Amino acid sequence: MTSTKIHSTHCERTAFVYVRQSTWLQVSENRESTERQYNLRERAIGLGWPESRVEVIDEDQGRSGSTAIFRTGFQRLAAEVGLGNVGIVLMLEASRLARNNSDWYRLIEICGISGTLIADESAVYNPREPNDRLLLGVKGTLSEAELFTLRTRLYEGRWNKARKGLLRFPLPVGYVVATDGAWLVDPDTQVRERLSYVFNSFRRLGVVRAVVRDLRQQGLELPTRVTAREAYGSLIWKQPTLSTVFRILHNPAYAGAYVYGRSEYLSDRRSPKTGKASAHVRNVAQWPVRITEHHPAYIGWEEFVKNQEQLRQNWGRDDNRGVPREGRALLQGIIYCGVCGRKMSVQNRSVKESRSPSYVCMQGYQNGEEKTCQCMTSRPIDAAVAEAFLVAISPVNLKVATQVMDQIDQELVSHRRQRELQLEQARYQARLAQRQYDSVDPSNRLVAAELERRWNEKLERVTELERAFAQAERDAEWKLTPEERAAITELSRDLPAIWSAETTTNQERKQLLRMAIESVQVEGVSQAGQIEVQIRWRTGTITMLNVKRTTPGECSLKTPEEAVSRIHKMVPRRTYAEIAAALNRAGLRSAFGRRFTSQHVGYICRRDGLGGRKPRSLPETPGSVVQ
Ligand SMILES: [Zn+2]
């Protein structure tokens, strides 16, 4: 497409590269962008112009783009184009040529008349072609949307910088940045030694949890840089946690590598909860920017790669323990520990075990404490919560149901308002940061660099919020219409049937629960054999329930009742061995499906308090004492 637009008549004329940065500050500080602009010279040569006929116009460096009057470079360019001396005009984004739209349209006009092409980094436009003309017009309009352009430049600039290992980001703890931008190991010996201790400990133990426990036992804390605004960058010491140690072990910076783009954000993979594009971590081999031996290392690159493999395998082992997560535990993700307030995780049993999953408060354990905080079988809790849910949504309690819906509606409105406010605030701050940046004395380079950094930060925040806002708008589209409201009311009448239908999946049951329930809190410590369940409904009301704990063995395997009652009858007259033989003859088998032995019979007698071979009266109800 590009080559078909360029004819020899174009190449015979001069190619003009138009370079411009609007303030001297940008000229001196924002070299990245300037560099990209000068790269256009190479592009002109690549498109077929001889080096001698490529001219760079950079007289307008440091002049405002809002009007052409003070930009002699632009005027010269327009004059040259008008005289028919120019074959092509190259610029960074086509829109940058002129901020002022009237200048821009005039230039397109003149280029059209004189048969001059316009090109940027990605495409070549011929202003004589209606389509291209339209595109150029749109580009000019877009240039007025300052944020858009700035964002593109920011993004491209970032990658350009990152590819050379020059893009700065907050360094991981253990490194400090020198005045020239180089990474140095932290001068604080304690920081360096503590990090080395972590790596050594992992080398020795091979499991992150063990490393955390080891650190805790030794009473060793880990250094952290403060990221909050006040006291930004200062060093504090914190209790080691699983995630901190994970982060340290996963960070390639400690192996001396400069890495950018470790995660990619794919729009097709979104968090079902927040709707945000979830980060997908790339393989080491796929990292777009990876500069090894960029700075002094704490561990070798080989060891880093080995650690990643080790971590992956550990994870895999954990994962294999449970059944695939279709998940029978209905409260997964909304259940909290009533003792310590943390979110509880679900421990699935293997299919063979046929036990129902458990809710476990694991975080303390993972962070090196002696044992888990509390643990309970999901079945009785799920059953109680589901019952409460069905009662709450039953026609008798329709009011609750409609309240729930109103609550959802209100939340959508108030969330939206919050997001709007947030965005407005972020935009204001970006404008403020830009003004501060533009007004600082260019010779005060340190201040200017800091201000530029803040400005960039603000712009990124705006972009991020805009994306979140758009996503939330899309998500909120299921706002309830009166018809839907009626349909749901209708549905709530049929809910018990739907709930228990075989075609309803656990996934759907979970969704139904979440529509009405904000969270569930359980506490099974203070009362023996009892679990206190607190349901927090989305309406804001709270329901308290008491659930009986499943006693150990209640649902485990049982010796067949018939065998037990026969044992009870025979005990006064026969030996254990004789009883076992009689049971086996009768075709009875133990709980595990095996033939009875004298030991087995003895165990049941001791359990039920029967003496062997001693004549004594039989219990009245032998069947009631089964295991
Ligand atoms: Zn807990």
Side-chain angles (χ1 to χ4, degrees):
M1 166 187 150
T2 295
S3 54
T4 55
K5 288 180 188 166
I6 300 167
H7 302 292
S8 54
T9 50
H10 293 124
C11 293
E12 278 158 23
R13 293 189 259 163
T14 316
F16 272 85
V17 175
Y18 186 69
V19 177
R20 204 182 64 76
Q21 294 266 355
S22 59
T23 64
W24 274 113
L25 193 70
Q26 282 172 311
V27 176
S28 58
E29 294 297 337
N30 198 358
R31 290 186 187 287
E32 222 46 60
S33 180
T34 317
E35 200 178 315
R36 284 174 60 222
Q37 299 196 49
Y38 283 111
N39 283 345
L40 289 170
R41 219 179 107 81
E42 261 65 58
R43 177 149 160 80
I45 294 163
L47 287 171
W49 271 265
E51 223 173 308
S52 56
R53 274 208 294 280
V54 179
E55 202 172 332
V56 176
I57 298 187
D58 52 7
E59 295 141 74
D60 288 341
Q61 289 265 49
R63 283 162 209 259
S64 164
S66 50
T67 163
I69 298 169
F70 299 107
R71 284 180 289 122
T72 52
F74 183 77
Q75 286 166 349
R76 184 156 76 89
L77 176 71
E80 293 282 354
V81 171
L83 291 171
N85 295 336
V86 184
I88 191 166
V89 179
L90 295 110
M91 69 215 89
L92 203 50
E93 287 114 11
S95 58
R96 300 200 76 199
L97 198 55
R99 292 279 168 80
N100 184 312
N101 260 340
S102 61
D103 285 352
W104 173 242
Y105 288 127
R106 207 178 65 212
L107 186 81
I108 299 176
E109 257 344 297
I110 304 170
C111 284
I113 294 164
S114 61
T116 305
L117 302 173
I118 294 176
D120 58 16
E121 279 181 310
S122 54
V124 175
Y125 308 92
N126 183 353
R128 283 184 173 179
E129 284 177 22
N131 270 342
D132 285 7
R133 236 185 126 89
L134 189 69
L135 256 177
L136 287 167
V138 170
K139 288 213 164 202
T141 314
L142 280 180
S143 83
E144 289 186 330
E146 179 72 356
L147 215 58
F148 177 85
T149 328
L150 281 174
R151 201 165 67 199
T152 326
R153 228 179 296 159
L154 190 70
Y155 181 80
E156 277 305 321
R158 276 177 78 95
W159 277 96
N160 210 13
K161 238 172 173 172
R163 275 188 277 271
K164 288 181 286 184
L166 295 175
L167 181 70
R168 293 199 195 174
F169 37 78
L171 299 196
V173 66
Y175 287 102
V176 290
V177 68
T179 42
D180 62 349
W183 295 30
L184 306 173
V185 288
D186 200 309
D188 188 334
T189 323
Q190 208 187 351
V191 171
R192 291 200 308 271
E193 284 179 357
R194 192 59 48 82
L195 286 167
S196 300
Y197 184 90
V198 170
F199 289 116
N200 283 333
S201 180
F202 186 73
R203 208 172 291 144
R204 199 153 39 86
L205 303 164
V207 179
V208 177
R209 190 177 301 149
V211 173
V212 175
R213 200 178 307 145
D214 178 45
L215 286 166
R216 291 217 173 186
Q217 271 165 6
Q218 310 289 329
L220 298 177
E221 296 187 313
L222 290 177
T224 312
R225 293 253 174 241
V226 178
T227 50
R229 185 145 297 265
E230 52 284 355
Y232 181 86
S234 58
L235 188 84
I236 51 167
W237 292 84
K238 276 187 169 175
Q239 275 278 324
T241 63
L242 202 66
S243 62
T244 325
V245 176
F246 257 119
R247 268 204 302 278
I248 292 173
L249 291 169
H250 274 306
N251 197 335
Y254 294 113
Y258 179 98
V259 171
Y260 190 72
R262 269 156 80 196
S263 308
E264 58 185 336
Y265 295 85
L266 302 170
S267 53
D268 59 329
R269 271 201 228 171
R270 292 188 177 277
S271 150
K273 218 165 136 199
T274 60
K276 282 186 188 164
S278 53
H280 167 69
V281 181
R282 292 182 168 112
N283 276 334
V284 176
Q286 291 167 335
W287 289 344
V289 178
R290 191 186 96 194
I291 306 165
T292 45
E293 291 172 34
H294 174 267
H295 52 263
Y298 283 82
I299 54 167
W301 180 255
E302 290 73 29
E303 185 175 357
F304 172 76
V305 174
K306 215 184 82 209
N307 285 353
Q308 302 314 298
E309 180 55 24
Q310 175 79 50
L311 289 167
R312 206 182 58 75
Q313 278 181 4
N314 291 353
W315 178 250
R317 210 161 51 215
D318 279 343
D319 223 27
N320 291 339
R321 224 179 279 148
V323 287
R325 308 212 165 185
E326 76 225 345
R328 282 187 294 155
L330 295 181
L331 303 179
Q332 178 185 15
I334 55 170
I335 188 162
Y336 291 82
C337 171
V339 178
C340 67
R342 289 174 176 134
K343 196 177 247 189
M344 293 176 87
S345 46
V346 174
Q347 201 165 43
N348 284 307
R349 308 286 173 185
S350 70
V351 183
K352 270 185 293 185
E353 260 185 293
S354 79
R355 278 167 68 189
S356 58
S358 304
Y359 295 123
V360 192
C361 180
M362 285 286 273
Q363 289 191 31
Y365 175 62
Q366 282 171 341
N367 290 337
E369 281 159 27
E370 278 302 299
K371 56 189 184 71
T372 55
C373 176
Q374 56 169 349
C375 167
M376 52 199 64
T377 313
S378 64
R379 205 160 38 95
I381 300 168
D382 283 5
V385 172
E387 198 192 322
F389 166 73
L390 291 175
V391 170
I393 308 288
S394 71
V396 191
N397 283 318
L398 261 186
K399 234 180 79 199
V400 180
T402 41
Q403 266 176 11
V404 169
M405 285 182 256
D406 287 342
Q407 185 76 15
I408 294 174
D409 266 6
Q410 273 172 22
E411 267 172 37
L412 286 177
V413 171
S414 85
H415 283 171
R416 175 157 203 233
R417 179 74 196 131
Q418 287 311 309
R419 277 192 294 270
E420 274 171 355
L421 286 175
Q422 241 181 346
L423 189 58
E424 204 174 297
Q425 175 72 9
R427 281 188 181 137
Y428 168 73
Q429 279 176 348
R431 282 198 302 272
L432 199 68
Q434 181 181 7
R435 238 177 288 149
Q436 284 172 342
Y437 170 58
D438 282 341
S439 66
V440 76
D441 180 357
S443 60
N444 195 350
R445 297 171 61 110
L446 279 176
V447 174
E450 172 60 18
L451 286 176
E452 189 195 12
R453 191 187 64 76
R454 283 189 206 165
W455 178 25
N456 285 349
E457 217 175 70
K458 295 288 186 313
L459 284 176
E460 271 176 290
R461 172 101 180 114
V462 170
T463 316
E464 191 186 301
L465 284 173
E466 275 173 343
R467 201 170 27 213
F469 190 84
Q471 181 59 40
E473 286 295 287
R474 253 169 288 156
D475 288 351
E477 270 168 17
W478 54 277
K479 201 172 180 316
L480 298 176
T481 63
E483 295 79 48
E484 282 169 327
R485 193 177 284 263
I488 291 178
T489 310
E490 183 68 30
L491 184 77
S492 77
R493 226 165 269 145
D494 306 334
L495 203 57
I498 295 172
W499 182 269
S500 49
E502 270 181 39
T503 45
T504 307
T505 64
N506 277 330
Q507 186 76 31
E508 286 161 338
R509 291 196 183 101
K510 282 182 201 175
Q511 281 167 359
L512 283 170
L513 282 183
R514 277 162 200 226
M515 272 184 73
I517 295 174
E518 185 75 48
S519 66
V520 174
Q521 196 171 303
V522 288
E523 201 263 296
V525 177
S526 52
Q527 277 174 282
Q530 295 277 316
I531 300 166
E532 196 172 85
V533 180
Q534 201 185 80
I535 305 171
R536 187 178 290 272
W537 302 95
R538 295 193 57 151
T539 53
T541 51
I542 288 174
T543 305
M544 302 282 284
L545 300 169
N546 255 312
V547 176
K548 200 171 149 288
R549 230 181 224 281
T550 331
T551 46
E554 195 175 280
C555 54
S556 60
L557 296 163
K558 287 176 187 168
T559 308
E561 271 188 43
E562 188 176 353
V564 176
S565 78
R566 281 187 187 215
I567 293 171
H568 281 242
K569 279 184 194 140
M570 289 189 273
V571 159
R573 299 181 302 276
R574 311 234 194 137
T575 62
Y576 293 157
E578 284 166 356
I579 298 173
L583 293 172
N584 290 335
R585 266 199 308 279
L588 291 165
R589 291 291 176 267
S590 77
F592 294 93
R594 281 190 289 247
R595 294 172 69 83
F596 282 96
T597 62
S598 54
Q599 284 90 348
H600 198 138
V601 176
Y603 161 74
I604 291 176
C605 289
R606 279 192 302 280
R607 189 195 71 190
D608 295 354
L610 306 168
R613 266 205 291 184
K614 258 186 274 167
R616 51 176 288 183
S617 61
L618 292 177
E620 283 306 300
T621 51
S624 67
V625 278
V626 287
Q627 187 179 358

